[in-house]
Amino acid sequence: MIRKILISLFCTMMFVTMVYAQKRLNLGDVSNIRVANSGNIMRNKKITGYFLLVIKDQLSKDTIRYSLQILDENMHKVREYEYLDAKDVYVCEAASNDSTTAFLLSNSHTGDMELKILDADGQLKFSYKRPYVKGQGKPNIYYSAYHDIRDANHSLFDAGTHGYMAILDVRHRIHTAVFEVNYFDAAKKKHWKYTQPKEAHKEWVAEFMAKTDNLMLLEVTRSRKNNKCTSSLTAFSIESKKKVFELKEKKEAYHLVPSFVMPKPGTDTITVAGEYFKGANKVRGRASKGIGFYDIDSKGNILTSTYNAWNKELSGTLTANKKGKYQGLGYLYLHNMIPGPDGKLFVVGEGYKRVLSSQGVMFNNTKLISTNLVMLEFDGKYHLKRTNVYEKQRITLRDMADFRNIHKMGYASKRYNSFDYKLTTITEDYKNFSICYTDMRRVSKKERGAYHIIRYNGLKFRNDDLPIQKDKTNISIYPAKAGNLLIFETNEKGSSMRMEKVS
C-alpha cells in the first residue's frame, strides 16, 4: 500500500511538472492544481500522449467538476474536456485512434464504469455507462495495482477505424469469475458485448494479445477450484462482433500457451509463441518442455508448428535439463518478444530459481530470486541462432518459498512487477529497439545501481546505463513515445524532465 501511494504521488508530481514545463499554466495555477490521476494514452501498444484528470471545483458533497486534459506525445497540452461527476471517479486507461480518444472510468465507491469518447476538438462524441448491479458481478480493472510502469493497457484498446474494445474481468464470488468483451462504435454510437457464460467454481480470464485489421486476439485462461488451469488463443471479429475461432491443437503433440502474438505485416498469417506443455492442465504449476511457435491463418488453422526443447534446441551455449532449468540461471520467465529484420524474433527472458535464505527459520529456509537477463535470437524459421546473457545483481522475488510452487511464484512475481525487466521501446518501423532493466549493484557510495539499456540497431547490440542515483539526484525512467524514454530527475533544488531517444 505504501508503495502504491508513493508511486501515485510521484506520478502526480511528474505530470504537474509536465504542464508547468510547457508554460500552459502559470505558477499560481500549478500550486493550486489537484490531479485526481494521470496516465498514458495508448494506440496499438504505443504511447501517443498523456492525460490528466484534474479536480476543478467541488460543487457539493458528492459532485465535482473535473477537467480531463489531453497532452500529446511531446507533452504539449492539446485539448480539454470539463464535466460533472461523483467524487470517487478516476480514469483507469485511455486509448486513441485517427480521430478520437477514449477514456475508461470507474467509480471506486459504487463500482459503476463508464466509457467516454472525445473527438479531435475535445467534445464528447459518445458515452456508455455500465452501472454495478448487485448479483450480476463486479468488474475489476488492473489500473495500476500491479504495474508501476504502464507501457501497455490491460483493458482498453483501439479497434478499427472508429471503435474501441474493453476487456473486463467480472467477479461474481470467490472462485467464480467471467470476462466481458465490450465493443464501442463511436460513429454509430452503439455498444456490443460478449459475456463468457458463468460456471460455478470456474474462473475465466481474458488478456489482450494483439489485433489485426479485423481480429482481436485474446489469451483466455480457465481455472477451476481444484487448481486445474488451461489456456488458449481466442479471436473476436471487429466487424461481426462475434467469436471467430478458438485455437485447436488436436493434431499437435503439445499444448502451447500463448505468451506472444504477432501478426505478420502484409500477410494474413499470425505468429503465436510461448512455452509448450505435454497436456493442457495446470500450465502455471508445471515445468514446460520448451518454446514453441505456430503460424496460423485468420480462421485459426495451424499452418506450421515449431518446437524448441530446453535440453536440445535451446541448450546451445547454455546447458538446460529437460524441465528448462539452466545451470546458474534457473528457469526463464519470458517477458517479451520483439520483431527484427529478415524475419528475426528476439525473446527477452529473466532467470528465477529457489535458493537458501540466510534468514530462514525452521520451515522457511528458501526464497525465490531472479538471476540474469537473457536474450534469445531466432531466425525466420524459428530456430535459435544466438543467446546473450546479461549479468546483474540477484534480487529476492519471494520469501518463505519452501512449500510453494516455483512456477506459480514466478508468475506472481511478474504480476506484481518484481522482476528487474522493466520495458521495451521500439521505433515505428520496427527496425530498432531498446530493452530496459535495473541492476541494483552499487558502483560507489554515491551510486546505487543503474538502469541498463540494451540497444539494437538492426545489426548489433550496444549496452548503455543510466545511474539510479548520482550526486544526490534520483533518476527514474518511464515509457514514452516510440523509440524514446522519459527521464525524470529530482534533487534538493527541484525536478526536471527530458525525453531521450534510445532506439
Side-chain angles (χ1 to χ4, degrees):
M1 180 61 70
I2 296 296
R3 187 181 184 192
K4 287 170 60 179
I5 293 172
L6 290 175
I7 291 168
S8 177
L9 290 174
F10 188 80
C11 289
T12 299
M13 186 172 63
M14 180 182 74
F15 277 96
V16 170
T17 307
M18 283 185 199
V19 180
Y20 179 66
Q22 300 304 327
K23 299 182 179 179
R24 299 288 177 170
L25 301 173
N26 60 39
L27 184 60
D29 293 327
V30 173
S31 62
N32 294 324
I33 195 170
R34 290 189 295 166
V35 180
N37 77 296
S38 55
N40 303 327
I41 300 174
M42 308 296 299
R43 180 181 180 184
N44 198 24
K45 292 189 173 183
K46 292 184 174 62
I47 294 175
T48 60
Y50 307 89
F51 70 82
L52 289 166
L53 182 63
V54 177
I55 297 174
K56 299 286 284 188
D57 301 295
Q58 184 154 353
L59 303 180
S60 66
K61 180 181 178 181
D62 300 315
T63 305
I64 290 178
R65 184 188 303 278
Y66 291 97
S67 168
L68 193 51
Q69 302 183 9
I70 302 174
L71 288 71
D72 65 16
E73 62 182 13
N74 296 311
M75 297 179 292
H76 296 103
K77 181 180 170 183
V78 293
R79 63 186 71 95
E80 182 176 0
Y81 168 68
E82 291 191 3
Y83 68 100
L84 303 182
D85 214 325
K87 64 178 182 179
D88 299 306
V89 168
Y90 62 89
V91 179
C92 306
E93 292 180 348
S96 68
N97 56 28
D98 288 333
S99 57
T100 61
T101 307
F103 299 89
L104 189 61
L105 300 93
S106 177
N107 187 310
S108 59
H109 179 67
T110 64
D112 296 346
M113 302 193 65
E114 185 176 9
L115 185 97
K116 293 180 181 289
I117 299 179
L118 308 183
D119 62 18
D121 297 321
Q123 300 299 312
L124 183 65
K125 189 170 184 177
F126 175 67
S127 66
Y128 173 82
K129 191 164 187 177
R130 183 193 189 284
Y132 167 64
V133 179
K134 188 175 181 180
Q136 295 184 8
K138 189 170 185 179
N140 296 318
I141 296 182
Y142 286 105
Y143 185 44
S144 59
Y146 309 125
H147 300 271
D148 299 346
I149 299 177
R150 300 300 304 277
D151 60 340
N153 281 2
H154 299 277
S155 299
L156 182 64
F157 309 92
D158 58 297
T161 306
H162 42 69
Y164 294 91
M165 198 81 81
I167 303 166
L168 305 179
D169 171 27
V170 181
R171 187 159 297 277
H172 290 268
R173 60 182 67 90
I174 188 169
H175 301 307
T176 302
V178 298
F179 67 89
E180 284 183 4
V181 179
N182 295 265
Y183 180 81
F184 305 94
D185 192 317
K188 297 180 180 180
K189 297 185 178 181
K190 289 185 177 181
H191 165 253
W192 162 88
K193 178 175 69 174
Y194 169 86
T195 303
Q196 173 66 37
K198 183 178 68 172
E199 298 178 73
H201 307 299
K202 291 184 181 179
E203 297 185 12
W204 293 84
V205 177
E207 181 180 351
F208 173 82
M209 302 300 289
K211 71 179 180 71
T212 66
D213 291 338
N214 185 43
L215 295 178
M216 296 288 287
L217 298 151
L218 313 178
E219 179 194 2
V220 175
T221 302
R222 182 184 68 176
S223 57
R224 298 185 182 183
K225 187 178 179 180
N226 59 5
N227 210 25
K228 287 186 177 180
C229 179
T230 61
S231 182
S232 63
L233 186 69
T234 303
F236 290 85
S237 170
I238 296 173
E239 292 181 0
S240 68
K241 321 297 187 299
K242 296 180 180 179
K243 183 190 290 188
V244 177
F245 68 80
E246 183 175 351
L247 188 62
K248 302 295 183 181
E249 302 172 296
K250 292 182 180 180
K251 296 182 181 180
E252 296 295 320
Y254 303 103
H255 174 78
L256 187 146
V257 176
S259 296
F260 317 107
V261 178
M262 191 175 299
K264 289 188 174 182
T267 71
D268 291 330
T269 304
I270 302 166
T271 298
V272 184
E275 296 179 69
Y276 64 91
F277 299 78
K278 189 72 173 179
N281 290 334
K282 297 184 180 179
V283 292
R284 285 181 186 158
R286 297 165 50 202
S288 65
K289 299 293 184 180
I291 300 176
F293 297 87
Y294 292 163
D295 276 345
I296 66 173
D297 62 18
S298 58
K299 296 181 180 179
N301 299 311
I302 299 176
L303 305 176
T304 65
S305 57
T306 305
Y307 300 105
N308 297 276
W310 295 117
N311 61 331
K312 296 179 181 177
E313 293 85 356
L314 296 179
S315 274
T317 56
L318 297 175
T319 303
N321 62 22
K322 64 180 182 179
K323 292 185 177 181
K325 188 174 183 179
Y326 286 98
Q327 291 183 4
L329 286 173
Y331 299 96
L332 280 186
Y333 192 95
L334 306 183
H335 288 300
N336 204 352
M337 183 172 75
I338 310 152
D342 303 322
K344 291 180 180 179
L345 289 174
F346 297 89
V347 175
V348 184
E350 188 171 347
Y352 65 95
K353 67 178 182 178
R354 197 193 312 261
V355 298
L356 289 174
S357 174
S358 59
Q359 298 179 346
V361 293
M362 184 178 296
F363 297 109
N364 286 292
N365 296 308
T366 63
K367 61 181 180 180
L368 187 74
I369 65 167
S370 79
T371 55
N372 295 329
L373 203 78
V374 178
M375 180 88 72
L376 304 173
E377 180 181 334
F378 295 88
D379 62 19
K381 295 184 178 180
Y382 310 125
H383 297 143
L384 183 67
K385 304 303 293 184
R386 180 168 53 171
T387 303
N388 291 339
V389 178
Y390 300 89
E391 293 185 358
K392 62 179 181 63
Q393 179 177 320
R394 299 180 175 188
I395 63 167
T396 299
L397 300 174
R398 289 287 182 272
D399 288 311
M400 298 183 291
D402 283 11
F403 304 105
R404 302 169 71 182
N405 183 284
I406 187 170
H407 303 294
K408 289 183 179 179
M409 286 192 293
Y411 175 80
S413 298
K414 178 62 178 180
R415 181 176 174 84
Y416 286 93
N417 199 33
S418 301
F419 281 102
D420 279 326
Y421 168 85
K422 296 306 176 188
L423 60 96
T424 297
T425 179
I426 310 173
T427 55
E428 293 286 357
D429 57 9
Y430 289 94
K431 292 183 179 179
N432 305 307
F433 62 81
S434 292
I435 296 164
C436 300
Y437 67 97
T438 55
D439 184 357
M440 298 306 294
R441 285 182 291 192
R442 280 190 177 271
V443 179
S444 65
K445 291 183 179 180
K446 296 182 179 180
E447 296 184 15
R448 55 171 185 85
Y451 292 97
H452 285 273
I453 304 173
I454 305 171
R455 307 188 190 206
Y456 183 72
N457 64 2
L459 296 174
K460 59 183 180 180
F461 292 98
R462 180 165 62 91
N463 298 327
D464 290 327
D465 61 70
L466 184 70
I468 290 174
Q469 186 180 59
K470 187 176 182 180
D471 298 329
K472 296 184 180 180
T473 297
N474 293 316
I475 303 171
S476 297
I477 288 182
Y478 292 89
K481 62 183 180 180
N484 290 264
L485 294 173
L486 194 62
I487 313 298
F488 188 76
E489 300 179 352
T490 180
N491 53 33
E492 297 174 350
K493 297 180 181 180
S495 302
S496 63
M497 184 179 306
R498 70 179 188 274
M499 197 85 72
E500 183 169 319
K501 187 174 179 60
V502 293
S503 297

